[in-house]
Amino acid sequence: MAILEVHNIEKHFKNVQVLNDISFSLEKGQVLSIIGSSGSGKTTLLRCLNFLEKPDQGTILVGDQVIFDAADPATQIEKEVRKKRLHFGLVFQNFNLFPQYTALENVTLAPKLMAKETGRSPEDIEADGLALLAQMGLEDRKDHYPHQLSGGQQQRVAIARALALQPDILCFDEPTSALDPELTGEVLRVIRSLAEKKTTMIIVTHEMAFARDVADQVIFMDGGYIVEQGTPEQVINHPKEERTKQFLARYFENA
């Protein structure tokens, strides 16, 4: 059974249509990589899934629940949208950590703010936060502030923070784009370990070799459309569409 179904999503910014009839599904425990040139709509799609942008058309289902239907105002009430956003965790390109909080405080802030709704105790939240930092290899950095951490360490704190609310689907928007090559590897290793634990993920990435190795599905986007989708073997190793071939040829020439 699909944990996520996206049907006919469209998004406009003024007179520019940035998403055109986007449809796909994702099974629990699978990894979906979304590839494509800058400006192809990848980040906007992630923002629509996380309700940071509202689609103009289409529906989004998590499990068997319709969490967004552009034709149904009842699915767009702000209070309900905030709850539905919890189905997704989002790791941004540039970490977006709170500079005034330590690594542990960044990870536990949102769960503590929601403690009344979830019924979790501060002690449990703290313990879970420490466990997540340990999972990221950062147990000895729990009291460090973001400016005391490397870029790779900051991104791993951001991953722990996204996991802290136990989302159904973890989303990454170019998680290594702000990192130098030495630090890219440590973040990709963490994401790979999450994939091995069957964490359901959507990863927007320019790391083609990583997408090929880790993903169960790959979507290639161009001009706001899904041009091609399938397994990494189908899309990356043996693309059918000419536009996909052009994109991958240019990427591998420059790799």
Side-chain angles (χ1 to χ4, degrees):
M1 178 180 171
I3 191 171
L4 174 66
E5 294 181 46
V6 175
H7 298 289
N8 312 113
I9 292 293
E10 297 193 1
K11 178 65 181 176
H12 299 77
F13 291 117
K14 295 186 178 179
N15 295 324
V16 179
Q17 187 164 0
V18 292
L19 294 177
N20 297 271
D21 197 25
I22 302 295
S23 298
F24 65 91
S25 63
L26 184 63
E27 300 290 323
K28 185 176 176 61
Q30 284 191 332
V31 177
L32 167 65
S33 288
I34 304 177
I35 62 174
S37 302
S38 297
S40 60
K42 307 183 302 296
T43 293
T44 300
L45 175 56
L46 279 192
R47 290 179 65 83
C48 285
L49 292 177
N50 284 269
F51 298 103
L52 298 175
E53 301 286 352
K54 187 175 80 170
D56 298 312
Q57 292 187 40
T59 58
I60 301 170
L61 293 84
V62 174
D64 57 359
Q65 179 189 8
V66 177
I67 65 169
F68 178 83
D69 182 346
D72 182 2
T75 66
Q76 300 169 44
I77 299 169
E78 182 58 32
K79 183 178 179 181
E80 295 303 313
V81 166
R82 286 199 298 270
K83 291 180 183 177
K84 292 170 183 178
R85 193 175 284 143
L86 298 176
H87 289 293
F88 300 89
L90 179 57
V91 180
F92 297 90
Q93 293 183 32
N94 295 312
F95 326 136
N96 285 14
L97 298 179
F98 295 107
Q100 71 272 35
Y101 295 134
T102 65
L104 181 59
E105 288 169 341
N106 266 281
V107 172
T108 59
L109 178 62
K112 286 180 177 177
L113 290 173
M114 296 188 60
K116 285 185 179 180
E117 297 176 38
T118 61
R120 298 175 67 193
S121 70
E123 293 78 17
D124 285 344
I125 292 171
E126 195 94 350
D128 287 348
L130 288 169
L132 283 168
L133 286 176
Q135 184 180 340
M136 300 297 126
L138 294 170
E139 59 267 49
D140 60 340
R141 296 289 191 273
K142 66 182 180 68
D143 295 322
H144 285 57
Y145 290 89
H147 75 273
Q148 298 172 311
L149 302 171
S150 71
Q153 290 169 338
Q154 289 185 60
Q155 191 62 299
R156 283 184 281 157
V157 172
I159 295 171
R161 180 178 62 181
L163 287 168
L165 288 173
Q166 302 170 343
D168 295 303
I169 301 155
L170 185 60
C171 302
F172 293 87
D173 184 13
E174 297 286 4
T176 60
S177 65
L179 303 176
D180 64 44
E182 285 188 2
L183 299 178
T184 293
E186 66 186 57
V187 172
L188 294 181
R189 281 192 294 274
V190 167
I191 299 173
R192 190 184 299 273
S193 72
L194 291 171
E196 290 169 354
K197 294 175 182 176
K198 297 299 180 182
T199 304
T200 309
M201 293 185 283
I202 300 174
I203 307 171
V204 168
T205 183
H206 286 302
E207 302 283 344
M208 293 302 119
F210 180 73
R212 182 173 53 197
D213 293 345
V214 171
D216 299 287
Q217 295 185 57
V218 175
I219 285 174
F220 170 64
M221 292 184 65
D222 185 60
Y225 290 90
I226 292 179
V227 175
E228 194 162 354
Q229 60 181 308
T231 66
E233 178 70 15
Q234 292 168 329
V235 177
I236 297 180
N237 290 350
H238 299 97
K240 293 179 180 178
E241 301 296 329
E242 189 59 35
R243 181 66 188 93
T244 316
K245 293 176 183 178
Q246 292 171 357
F247 171 80
L248 291 169
R250 189 167 66 247
Y251 171 81
F252 286 115
E253 281 174 10
N254 296 329

